[in-house]
Amino acid sequence: MRLRANEYPKESARVIREEPHVRESVTGATLNFDAKRRAAYAEVDSEQWRHFAEAVKNHVLMNLEHYLEQAEAALERSGVRVHWAEDAEAAQRIVAALVREKGVKRAVKAKTMLSEELDINPLLESLGVKVLETDLGEYIIQLLEQPPSHIVGPAIHLNLEQIRRLFHERFGTPLDAAPDALAAAARKLLRQGFLEADLGISGANFVVAETGTLVLIENEGNIRLSTSTPRLHVALVGIEKLLPRFSDLSVFLSLTARAATGQRLGTYVSLIQGPRRPDETDGPEEVHVVFVDNGRSSVLADDEAWETLRCVRCAACLNACPVYRQTGGHAYGYVYSGPIGAVLSPGLVGLENTKPLPYASSLCGACFQACPVRIPIPKLLLTWRHRAVEEGLTPRFERTALKGYALAMTQPWAYRLASKALRLLPKKALDNTVVPVLKAWVEGRAGLQPSPRSFRELWEEGID
């Protein structure tokens, strides 16, 4: 996915101005998700669960090398081949080598944000592999040649009428087809894709280091088919996705589902323990796990940003964010959008490439309240903003204006001079309809009129 996060201010304004249906669709869906999340949290002692999940993930991250080695050994005992990819190029080389070696012609993909990060679809297509996204939302945006707009609901920016028109044009379904009929049309095509595929690609919600278990949560059944029907299964896994013990899963499975969709558990939970055994009839002949770094070690070494690696990709922070609701995810210009994207992306691809994103927040704190692993997103947003200032990444006019403001607020002579200068401005300057702040003021009010005398002068004369 082409990185264009620095275009966020212009792109977000364009989406709001030219695509009003996006705000309507995203707001409706995220408010629904968030209400269900709140209800699901209320059923349990969610604060205790969140503290437990935070502590477990912190422990894993502080001992990551140990748990990665333990996971590798456990996976290999189960017959899984483990690969290591330092960056996106290395991950692509591994996947490309497998495709060539195994003669892969067709692939089915489960929803995995890491594959978006690594540009796996363009890679496979360049190798002549026909790729089919099997999550319904991912399939819809694949038809439209768009990236995901949301971690859990990739087509969240589309309304029902748009999807009806798309399916009518592609598959001849009626323009007033019910959602169930649209899903049935997609299911018919996808089932054939599962049967014909040589390769299934997935991510992983978790990998249990103790047992080498790949854990995947879903609601559609497409992940289970993608990982069990083709003869080859490749799982792309970020190095931070580990859990130490199998017993930790009971909390993480339920907490992740509650945070993401308000469910007590996902409809399907797959625990994959290696390829098909000689006495088994189902499952792939080979399972490969590719552990991917791609900037995560740098984030882990950061004494503040490392906490973003606790993320379980539930999207609860997106659903709770009033800023994300205005545009959906495309305006953010990178794989990870919303509050978690605003604090994770600068660590993965550099603050200079993502500088506007930490400013895409009202700092209301709703993201932290929703996060199942208590990532301090508001604090990290301020961290990245401070770093943007320290590194000189903010616009020159902003730096100049803030320096002038700081001078006026700390030096009495400068304050008096600035006050006097403001009072001497012509009326038209304060009746401005171009400068955004002044324009917003005068739209509902009379223009600003400076006092002929300063507060100090009035004070010295005596104020009743």
PDB file of all heavy atoms in Angstrom, residues 41-72:
ATOM      1  N   TYR A  41     -18.453  -5.485  27.734  1.00  0.00           N
ATOM      2  CA  TYR A  41     -17.537  -5.196  28.853  1.00  0.00           C
ATOM      3  C   TYR A  41     -18.299  -5.215  30.182  1.00  0.00           C
ATOM      4  O   TYR A  41     -17.764  -5.636  31.211  1.00  0.00           O
ATOM      5  CB  TYR A  41     -16.896  -3.813  28.659  1.00  0.00           C
ATOM      6  CG  TYR A  41     -15.622  -3.789  27.841  1.00  0.00           C
ATOM      7  CD1 TYR A  41     -15.279  -4.824  26.994  1.00  0.00           C
ATOM      8  CD2 TYR A  41     -14.759  -2.694  27.908  1.00  0.00           C
ATOM      9  CE1 TYR A  41     -14.120  -4.786  26.234  1.00  0.00           C
ATOM     10  CE2 TYR A  41     -13.590  -2.637  27.155  1.00  0.00           C
ATOM     11  CZ  TYR A  41     -13.272  -3.680  26.321  1.00  0.00           C
ATOM     12  OH  TYR A  41     -12.120  -3.633  25.563  1.00  0.00           O
ATOM     13  N   ALA A  42     -19.554  -4.723  30.149  1.00  0.00           N
ATOM     14  CA  ALA A  42     -20.332  -4.618  31.396  1.00  0.00           C
ATOM     15  C   ALA A  42     -20.714  -5.984  31.961  1.00  0.00           C
ATOM     16  O   ALA A  42     -21.070  -6.087  33.141  1.00  0.00           O
ATOM     17  CB  ALA A  42     -21.593  -3.790  31.139  1.00  0.00           C
ATOM     18  N   GLU A  43     -20.647  -7.026  31.141  1.00  0.00           N
ATOM     19  CA  GLU A  43     -21.017  -8.370  31.615  1.00  0.00           C
ATOM     20  C   GLU A  43     -19.945  -9.003  32.501  1.00  0.00           C
ATOM     21  O   GLU A  43     -20.221  -9.979  33.185  1.00  0.00           O
ATOM     22  CB  GLU A  43     -21.263  -9.293  30.409  1.00  0.00           C
ATOM     23  CG  GLU A  43     -22.495  -8.960  29.606  1.00  0.00           C
ATOM     24  CD  GLU A  43     -22.665  -9.921  28.443  1.00  0.00           C
ATOM     25  OE1 GLU A  43     -21.672 -10.597  28.075  1.00  0.00           O
ATOM     26  OE2 GLU A  43     -23.771 -10.002  27.911  1.00  0.00           O
ATOM     27  N   VAL A  44     -18.734  -8.475  32.418  1.00  0.00           N
ATOM     28  CA  VAL A  44     -17.616  -9.077  33.159  1.00  0.00           C
ATOM     29  C   VAL A  44     -16.883  -7.983  33.931  1.00  0.00           C
ATOM     30  O   VAL A  44     -17.179  -6.797  33.799  1.00  0.00           O
ATOM     31  CB  VAL A  44     -16.631  -9.777  32.184  1.00  0.00           C
ATOM     32  CG1 VAL A  44     -17.318 -10.914  31.455  1.00  0.00           C
ATOM     33  CG2 VAL A  44     -16.052  -8.771  31.196  1.00  0.00           C
ATOM     34  N   ASP A  45     -15.902  -8.394  34.714  1.00  0.00           N
ATOM     35  CA  ASP A  45     -15.053  -7.404  35.384  1.00  0.00           C
ATOM     36  C   ASP A  45     -13.992  -6.973  34.375  1.00  0.00           C
ATOM     37  O   ASP A  45     -12.835  -7.401  34.415  1.00  0.00           O
ATOM     38  CB  ASP A  45     -14.404  -8.033  36.623  1.00  0.00           C
ATOM     39  CG  ASP A  45     -13.645  -6.999  37.459  1.00  0.00           C
ATOM     40  OD1 ASP A  45     -13.414  -5.880  36.943  1.00  0.00           O
ATOM     41  OD2 ASP A  45     -13.288  -7.310  38.606  1.00  0.00           O
ATOM     42  N   SER A  46     -14.418  -6.121  33.450  1.00  0.00           N
ATOM     43  CA  SER A  46     -13.557  -5.791  32.312  1.00  0.00           C
ATOM     44  C   SER A  46     -12.273  -5.088  32.740  1.00  0.00           C
ATOM     45  O   SER A  46     -11.228  -5.253  32.103  1.00  0.00           O
ATOM     46  CB  SER A  46     -14.314  -4.939  31.295  1.00  0.00           C
ATOM     47  OG  SER A  46     -14.781  -3.749  31.874  1.00  0.00           O
ATOM     48  N   GLU A  47     -12.329  -4.300  33.805  1.00  0.00           N
ATOM     49  CA  GLU A  47     -11.107  -3.624  34.245  1.00  0.00           C
ATOM     50  C   GLU A  47     -10.059  -4.641  34.696  1.00  0.00           C
ATOM     51  O   GLU A  47      -8.878  -4.510  34.393  1.00  0.00           O
ATOM     52  CB  GLU A  47     -11.426  -2.651  35.390  1.00  0.00           C
ATOM     53  CG  GLU A  47     -11.995  -1.337  34.916  1.00  0.00           C
ATOM     54  CD  GLU A  47     -11.110  -0.678  33.856  1.00  0.00           C
ATOM     55  OE1 GLU A  47      -9.986  -0.266  34.183  1.00  0.00           O
ATOM     56  OE2 GLU A  47     -11.533  -0.621  32.685  1.00  0.00           O
ATOM     57  N   GLN A  48     -10.515  -5.659  35.436  1.00  0.00           N
ATOM     58  CA  GLN A  48      -9.571  -6.693  35.864  1.00  0.00           C
ATOM     59  C   GLN A  48      -9.028  -7.456  34.654  1.00  0.00           C
ATOM     60  O   GLN A  48      -7.842  -7.739  34.597  1.00  0.00           O
ATOM     61  CB  GLN A  48     -10.259  -7.663  36.826  1.00  0.00           C
ATOM     62  CG  GLN A  48      -9.300  -8.680  37.425  1.00  0.00           C
ATOM     63  CD  GLN A  48      -9.978  -9.592  38.447  1.00  0.00           C
ATOM     64  OE1 GLN A  48     -11.181  -9.502  38.664  1.00  0.00           O
ATOM     65  NE2 GLN A  48      -9.204 -10.452  39.051  1.00  0.00           N
ATOM     66  N   TRP A  49      -9.885  -7.768  33.680  1.00  0.00           N
ATOM     67  CA  TRP A  49      -9.446  -8.469  32.467  1.00  0.00           C
ATOM     68  C   TRP A  49      -8.437  -7.617  31.706  1.00  0.00           C
ATOM     69  O   TRP A  49      -7.433  -8.119  31.190  1.00  0.00           O
ATOM     70  CB  TRP A  49     -10.645  -8.762  31.562  1.00  0.00           C
ATOM     71  CG  TRP A  49     -11.537  -9.872  32.036  1.00  0.00           C
ATOM     72  CD1 TRP A  49     -11.751 -10.267  33.313  1.00  0.00           C
ATOM     73  CD2 TRP A  49     -12.351 -10.710  31.213  1.00  0.00           C
ATOM     74  NE1 TRP A  49     -12.656 -11.297  33.353  1.00  0.00           N
ATOM     75  CE2 TRP A  49     -13.040 -11.583  32.082  1.00  0.00           C
ATOM     76  CE3 TRP A  49     -12.581 -10.795  29.854  1.00  0.00           C
ATOM     77  CZ2 TRP A  49     -13.940 -12.545  31.604  1.00  0.00           C
ATOM     78  CZ3 TRP A  49     -13.473 -11.744  29.371  1.00  0.00           C
ATOM     79  CH2 TRP A  49     -14.142 -12.613  30.234  1.00  0.00           C
ATOM     80  N   ARG A  50      -8.725  -6.323  31.579  1.00  0.00           N
ATOM     81  CA  ARG A  50      -7.833  -5.434  30.827  1.00  0.00           C
ATOM     82  C   ARG A  50      -6.464  -5.334  31.517  1.00  0.00           C
ATOM     83  O   ARG A  50      -5.418  -5.335  30.863  1.00  0.00           O
ATOM     84  CB  ARG A  50      -8.456  -4.045  30.688  1.00  0.00           C
ATOM     85  CG  ARG A  50      -9.698  -4.020  29.790  1.00  0.00           C
ATOM     86  CD  ARG A  50     -10.367  -2.656  29.834  1.00  0.00           C
ATOM     87  NE  ARG A  50      -9.589  -1.632  29.174  1.00  0.00           N
ATOM     88  CZ  ARG A  50      -9.443  -0.393  29.621  1.00  0.00           C
ATOM     89  NH1 ARG A  50     -10.005  -0.022  30.756  1.00  0.00           N
ATOM     90  NH2 ARG A  50      -8.734   0.485  28.945  1.00  0.00           N
ATOM     91  N   HIS A  51      -6.459  -5.235  32.830  1.00  0.00           N
ATOM     92  CA  HIS A  51      -5.185  -5.186  33.550  1.00  0.00           C
ATOM     93  C   HIS A  51      -4.418  -6.492  33.361  1.00  0.00           C
ATOM     94  O   HIS A  51      -3.186  -6.486  33.202  1.00  0.00           O
ATOM     95  CB  HIS A  51      -5.434  -4.913  35.042  1.00  0.00           C
ATOM     96  CG  HIS A  51      -5.656  -3.460  35.350  1.00  0.00           C
ATOM     97  ND1 HIS A  51      -4.623  -2.555  35.447  1.00  0.00           N
ATOM     98  CD2 HIS A  51      -6.799  -2.758  35.578  1.00  0.00           C
ATOM     99  CE1 HIS A  51      -5.106  -1.351  35.726  1.00  0.00           C
ATOM    100  NE2 HIS A  51      -6.423  -1.442  35.804  1.00  0.00           N
ATOM    101  N   PHE A  52      -5.132  -7.625  33.383  1.00  0.00           N
ATOM    102  CA  PHE A  52      -4.472  -8.916  33.181  1.00  0.00           C
ATOM    103  C   PHE A  52      -3.855  -8.983  31.780  1.00  0.00           C
ATOM    104  O   PHE A  52      -2.680  -9.374  31.611  1.00  0.00           O
ATOM    105  CB  PHE A  52      -5.492 -10.050  33.363  1.00  0.00           C
ATOM    106  CG  PHE A  52      -4.960 -11.404  32.978  1.00  0.00           C
ATOM    107  CD1 PHE A  52      -4.161 -12.133  33.855  1.00  0.00           C
ATOM    108  CD2 PHE A  52      -5.242 -11.958  31.726  1.00  0.00           C
ATOM    109  CE1 PHE A  52      -3.651 -13.375  33.488  1.00  0.00           C
ATOM    110  CE2 PHE A  52      -4.749 -13.199  31.354  1.00  0.00           C
ATOM    111  CZ  PHE A  52      -3.948 -13.911  32.251  1.00  0.00           C
ATOM    112  N   ALA A  53      -4.649  -8.579  30.778  1.00  0.00           N
ATOM    113  CA  ALA A  53      -4.154  -8.636  29.395  1.00  0.00           C
ATOM    114  C   ALA A  53      -2.953  -7.702  29.209  1.00  0.00           C
ATOM    115  O   ALA A  53      -1.981  -8.058  28.529  1.00  0.00           O
ATOM    116  CB  ALA A  53      -5.276  -8.259  28.427  1.00  0.00           C
ATOM    117  N   GLU A  54      -3.013  -6.542  29.797  1.00  0.00           N
ATOM    118  CA  GLU A  54      -1.881  -5.610  29.716  1.00  0.00           C
ATOM    119  C   GLU A  54      -0.626  -6.240  30.327  1.00  0.00           C
ATOM    120  O   GLU A  54       0.469  -6.185  29.732  1.00  0.00           O
ATOM    121  CB  GLU A  54      -2.223  -4.319  30.466  1.00  0.00           C
ATOM    122  CG  GLU A  54      -1.084  -3.319  30.535  1.00  0.00           C
ATOM    123  CD  GLU A  54      -1.367  -2.167  31.478  1.00  0.00           C
ATOM    124  OE1 GLU A  54      -2.344  -2.266  32.272  1.00  0.00           O
ATOM    125  OE2 GLU A  54      -0.620  -1.174  31.444  1.00  0.00           O
ATOM    126  N   ALA A  55      -0.784  -6.867  31.488  1.00  0.00           N
ATOM    127  CA  ALA A  55       0.372  -7.456  32.173  1.00  0.00           C
ATOM    128  C   ALA A  55       0.962  -8.608  31.364  1.00  0.00           C
ATOM    129  O   ALA A  55       2.198  -8.749  31.263  1.00  0.00           O
ATOM    130  CB  ALA A  55      -0.043  -7.934  33.569  1.00  0.00           C
ATOM    131  N   VAL A  56       0.100  -9.446  30.776  1.00  0.00           N
ATOM    132  CA  VAL A  56       0.595 -10.582  29.983  1.00  0.00           C
ATOM    133  C   VAL A  56       1.366 -10.082  28.761  1.00  0.00           C
ATOM    134  O   VAL A  56       2.473 -10.555  28.467  1.00  0.00           O
ATOM    135  CB  VAL A  56      -0.578 -11.488  29.546  1.00  0.00           C
ATOM    136  CG1 VAL A  56      -0.100 -12.535  28.533  1.00  0.00           C
ATOM    137  CG2 VAL A  56      -1.184 -12.186  30.761  1.00  0.00           C
ATOM    138  N   LYS A  57       0.794  -9.123  28.054  1.00  0.00           N
ATOM    139  CA  LYS A  57       1.479  -8.614  26.857  1.00  0.00           C
ATOM    140  C   LYS A  57       2.773  -7.883  27.235  1.00  0.00           C
ATOM    141  O   LYS A  57       3.776  -7.985  26.512  1.00  0.00           O
ATOM    142  CB  LYS A  57       0.537  -7.680  26.076  1.00  0.00           C
ATOM    143  CG  LYS A  57      -0.646  -8.384  25.436  1.00  0.00           C
ATOM    144  CD  LYS A  57      -0.240  -9.413  24.394  1.00  0.00           C
ATOM    145  CE  LYS A  57       0.277  -8.784  23.130  1.00  0.00           C
ATOM    146  NZ  LYS A  57       0.555  -9.784  22.074  1.00  0.00           N
ATOM    147  N   ASN A  58       2.758  -7.163  28.333  1.00  0.00           N
ATOM    148  CA  ASN A  58       4.008  -6.513  28.775  1.00  0.00           C
ATOM    149  C   ASN A  58       5.091  -7.552  29.058  1.00  0.00           C
ATOM    150  O   ASN A  58       6.256  -7.369  28.695  1.00  0.00           O
ATOM    151  CB  ASN A  58       3.755  -5.684  30.037  1.00  0.00           C
ATOM    152  CG  ASN A  58       3.064  -4.371  29.733  1.00  0.00           C
ATOM    153  OD1 ASN A  58       2.907  -4.003  28.570  1.00  0.00           O
ATOM    154  ND2 ASN A  58       2.644  -3.670  30.765  1.00  0.00           N
ATOM    155  N   HIS A  59       4.693  -8.635  29.716  1.00  0.00           N
ATOM    156  CA  HIS A  59       5.653  -9.692  30.039  1.00  0.00           C
ATOM    157  C   HIS A  59       6.229 -10.289  28.756  1.00  0.00           C
ATOM    158  O   HIS A  59       7.450 -10.518  28.659  1.00  0.00           O
ATOM    159  CB  HIS A  59       4.959 -10.769  30.878  1.00  0.00           C
ATOM    160  CG  HIS A  59       5.809 -11.974  31.129  1.00  0.00           C
ATOM    161  ND1 HIS A  59       6.866 -11.970  32.003  1.00  0.00           N
ATOM    162  CD2 HIS A  59       5.773 -13.219  30.569  1.00  0.00           C
ATOM    163  CE1 HIS A  59       7.453 -13.159  31.997  1.00  0.00           C
ATOM    164  NE2 HIS A  59       6.810 -13.935  31.149  1.00  0.00           N
ATOM    165  N   VAL A  60       5.365 -10.547  27.778  1.00  0.00           N
ATOM    166  CA  VAL A  60       5.846 -11.107  26.502  1.00  0.00           C
ATOM    167  C   VAL A  60       6.825 -10.150  25.840  1.00  0.00           C
ATOM    168  O   VAL A  60       7.909 -10.553  25.384  1.00  0.00           O
ATOM    169  CB  VAL A  60       4.658 -11.385  25.561  1.00  0.00           C
ATOM    170  CG1 VAL A  60       5.156 -11.672  24.138  1.00  0.00           C
ATOM    171  CG2 VAL A  60       3.854 -12.563  26.059  1.00  0.00           C
ATOM    172  N   LEU A  61       6.471  -8.876  25.794  1.00  0.00           N
ATOM    173  CA  LEU A  61       7.321  -7.907  25.090  1.00  0.00           C
ATOM    174  C   LEU A  61       8.664  -7.720  25.806  1.00  0.00           C
ATOM    175  O   LEU A  61       9.694  -7.510  25.153  1.00  0.00           O
ATOM    176  CB  LEU A  61       6.590  -6.565  24.964  1.00  0.00           C
ATOM    177  CG  LEU A  61       5.343  -6.604  24.055  1.00  0.00           C
ATOM    178  CD1 LEU A  61       4.557  -5.305  24.158  1.00  0.00           C
ATOM    179  CD2 LEU A  61       5.739  -6.876  22.605  1.00  0.00           C
ATOM    180  N   MET A  62       8.651  -7.789  27.117  1.00  0.00           N
ATOM    181  CA  MET A  62       9.904  -7.634  27.864  1.00  0.00           C
ATOM    182  C   MET A  62      10.797  -8.866  27.753  1.00  0.00           C
ATOM    183  O   MET A  62      11.988  -8.822  28.041  1.00  0.00           O
ATOM    184  CB  MET A  62       9.599  -7.366  29.348  1.00  0.00           C
ATOM    185  CG  MET A  62       8.924  -6.037  29.615  1.00  0.00           C
ATOM    186  SD  MET A  62       9.918  -4.617  29.073  1.00  0.00           S
ATOM    187  CE  MET A  62       9.138  -4.206  27.501  1.00  0.00           C
ATOM    188  N   ASN A  63      10.204  -9.984  27.331  1.00  0.00           N
ATOM    189  CA  ASN A  63      10.970 -11.236  27.178  1.00  0.00           C
ATOM    190  C   ASN A  63      10.746 -11.818  25.779  1.00  0.00           C
ATOM    191  O   ASN A  63      10.647 -13.030  25.599  1.00  0.00           O
ATOM    192  CB  ASN A  63      10.522 -12.251  28.245  1.00  0.00           C
ATOM    193  CG  ASN A  63      10.720 -11.744  29.662  1.00  0.00           C
ATOM    194  OD1 ASN A  63      11.817 -11.845  30.205  1.00  0.00           O
ATOM    195  ND2 ASN A  63       9.677 -11.178  30.264  1.00  0.00           N
ATOM    196  N   LEU A  64      10.690 -10.941  24.794  1.00  0.00           N
ATOM    197  CA  LEU A  64      10.252 -11.360  23.463  1.00  0.00           C
ATOM    198  C   LEU A  64      11.199 -12.377  22.825  1.00  0.00           C
ATOM    199  O   LEU A  64      10.756 -13.355  22.218  1.00  0.00           O
ATOM    200  CB  LEU A  64      10.116 -10.130  22.559  1.00  0.00           C
ATOM    201  CG  LEU A  64       9.460 -10.375  21.202  1.00  0.00           C
ATOM    202  CD1 LEU A  64       8.067 -10.983  21.374  1.00  0.00           C
ATOM    203  CD2 LEU A  64       9.364  -9.079  20.404  1.00  0.00           C
ATOM    204  N   GLU A  65      12.495 -12.173  22.965  1.00  0.00           N
ATOM    205  CA  GLU A  65      13.447 -13.092  22.338  1.00  0.00           C
ATOM    206  C   GLU A  65      13.249 -14.513  22.868  1.00  0.00           C
ATOM    207  O   GLU A  65      13.231 -15.482  22.103  1.00  0.00           O
ATOM    208  CB  GLU A  65      14.875 -12.618  22.615  1.00  0.00           C
ATOM    209  CG  GLU A  65      15.929 -13.445  21.885  1.00  0.00           C
ATOM    210  CD  GLU A  65      17.339 -12.858  22.070  1.00  0.00           C
ATOM    211  OE1 GLU A  65      17.432 -11.706  22.531  1.00  0.00           O
ATOM    212  OE2 GLU A  65      18.306 -13.567  21.779  1.00  0.00           O
ATOM    213  N   HIS A  66      13.069 -14.627  24.179  1.00  0.00           N
ATOM    214  CA  HIS A  66      12.863 -15.945  24.792  1.00  0.00           C
ATOM    215  C   HIS A  66      11.609 -16.614  24.235  1.00  0.00           C
ATOM    216  O   HIS A  66      11.637 -17.794  23.852  1.00  0.00           O
ATOM    217  CB  HIS A  66      12.746 -15.794  26.316  1.00  0.00           C
ATOM    218  CG  HIS A  66      12.157 -16.991  26.995  1.00  0.00           C
ATOM    219  ND1 HIS A  66      12.856 -18.171  27.175  1.00  0.00           N
ATOM    220  CD2 HIS A  66      10.905 -17.194  27.529  1.00  0.00           C
ATOM    221  CE1 HIS A  66      12.077 -19.049  27.785  1.00  0.00           C
ATOM    222  NE2 HIS A  66      10.893 -18.491  28.012  1.00  0.00           N
ATOM    223  N   TYR A  67      10.512 -15.847  24.177  1.00  0.00           N
ATOM    224  CA  TYR A  67       9.251 -16.466  23.745  1.00  0.00           C
ATOM    225  C   TYR A  67       9.245 -16.762  22.242  1.00  0.00           C
ATOM    226  O   TYR A  67       8.590 -17.710  21.787  1.00  0.00           O
ATOM    227  CB  TYR A  67       8.063 -15.597  24.154  1.00  0.00           C
ATOM    228  CG  TYR A  67       7.774 -15.733  25.635  1.00  0.00           C
ATOM    229  CD1 TYR A  67       7.924 -14.662  26.500  1.00  0.00           C
ATOM    230  CD2 TYR A  67       7.380 -16.957  26.167  1.00  0.00           C
ATOM    231  CE1 TYR A  67       7.683 -14.791  27.863  1.00  0.00           C
ATOM    232  CE2 TYR A  67       7.135 -17.107  27.524  1.00  0.00           C
ATOM    233  CZ  TYR A  67       7.288 -16.023  28.371  1.00  0.00           C
ATOM    234  OH  TYR A  67       7.055 -16.187  29.706  1.00  0.00           O
ATOM    235  N   LEU A  68       9.963 -15.957  21.463  1.00  0.00           N
ATOM    236  CA  LEU A  68      10.058 -16.276  20.030  1.00  0.00           C
ATOM    237  C   LEU A  68      10.808 -17.585  19.816  1.00  0.00           C
ATOM    238  O   LEU A  68      10.418 -18.414  18.988  1.00  0.00           O
ATOM    239  CB  LEU A  68      10.754 -15.130  19.284  1.00  0.00           C
ATOM    240  CG  LEU A  68       9.907 -13.875  19.050  1.00  0.00           C
ATOM    241  CD1 LEU A  68      10.754 -12.727  18.535  1.00  0.00           C
ATOM    242  CD2 LEU A  68       8.761 -14.160  18.068  1.00  0.00           C
ATOM    243  N   GLU A  69      11.887 -17.777  20.560  1.00  0.00           N
ATOM    244  CA  GLU A  69      12.637 -19.040  20.443  1.00  0.00           C
ATOM    245  C   GLU A  69      11.788 -20.217  20.906  1.00  0.00           C
ATOM    246  O   GLU A  69      11.801 -21.288  20.292  1.00  0.00           O
ATOM    247  CB  GLU A  69      13.925 -18.948  21.271  1.00  0.00           C
ATOM    248  CG  GLU A  69      14.945 -17.975  20.691  1.00  0.00           C
ATOM    249  CD  GLU A  69      16.155 -17.817  21.598  1.00  0.00           C
ATOM    250  OE1 GLU A  69      16.150 -18.390  22.704  1.00  0.00           O
ATOM    251  OE2 GLU A  69      17.112 -17.123  21.200  1.00  0.00           O
ATOM    252  N   GLN A  70      11.028 -20.006  21.985  1.00  0.00           N
ATOM    253  CA  GLN A  70      10.163 -21.087  22.491  1.00  0.00           C
ATOM    254  C   GLN A  70       9.079 -21.421  21.459  1.00  0.00           C
ATOM    255  O   GLN A  70       8.786 -22.606  21.216  1.00  0.00           O
ATOM    256  CB  GLN A  70       9.516 -20.659  23.815  1.00  0.00           C
ATOM    257  CG  GLN A  70       8.721 -21.773  24.482  1.00  0.00           C
ATOM    258  CD  GLN A  70       8.058 -21.326  25.775  1.00  0.00           C
ATOM    259  OE1 GLN A  70       7.871 -20.133  26.012  1.00  0.00           O
ATOM    260  NE2 GLN A  70       7.688 -22.282  26.611  1.00  0.00           N
ATOM    261  N   ALA A  71       8.496 -20.383  20.855  1.00  0.00           N
ATOM    262  CA  ALA A  71       7.448 -20.615  19.850  1.00  0.00           C
ATOM    263  C   ALA A  71       8.008 -21.337  18.639  1.00  0.00           C
ATOM    264  O   ALA A  71       7.379 -22.265  18.094  1.00  0.00           O
ATOM    265  CB  ALA A  71       6.838 -19.270  19.432  1.00  0.00           C
ATOM    266  N   GLU A  72       9.201 -20.927  18.194  1.00  0.00           N
ATOM    267  CA  GLU A  72       9.819 -21.582  17.034  1.00  0.00           C
ATOM    268  C   GLU A  72      10.023 -23.072  17.306  1.00  0.00           C
ATOM    269  O   GLU A  72       9.688 -23.925  16.462  1.00  0.00           O
ATOM    270  CB  GLU A  72      11.161 -20.925  16.712  1.00  0.00           C
ATOM    271  CG  GLU A  72      11.870 -21.575  15.534  1.00  0.00           C
ATOM    272  CD  GLU A  72      13.246 -20.959  15.283  1.00  0.00           C
ATOM    273  OE1 GLU A  72      13.886 -20.535  16.272  1.00  0.00           O
ATOM    274  OE2 GLU A  72      13.673 -20.900  14.125  1.00  0.00           O
TER     275      GLU A  72
END
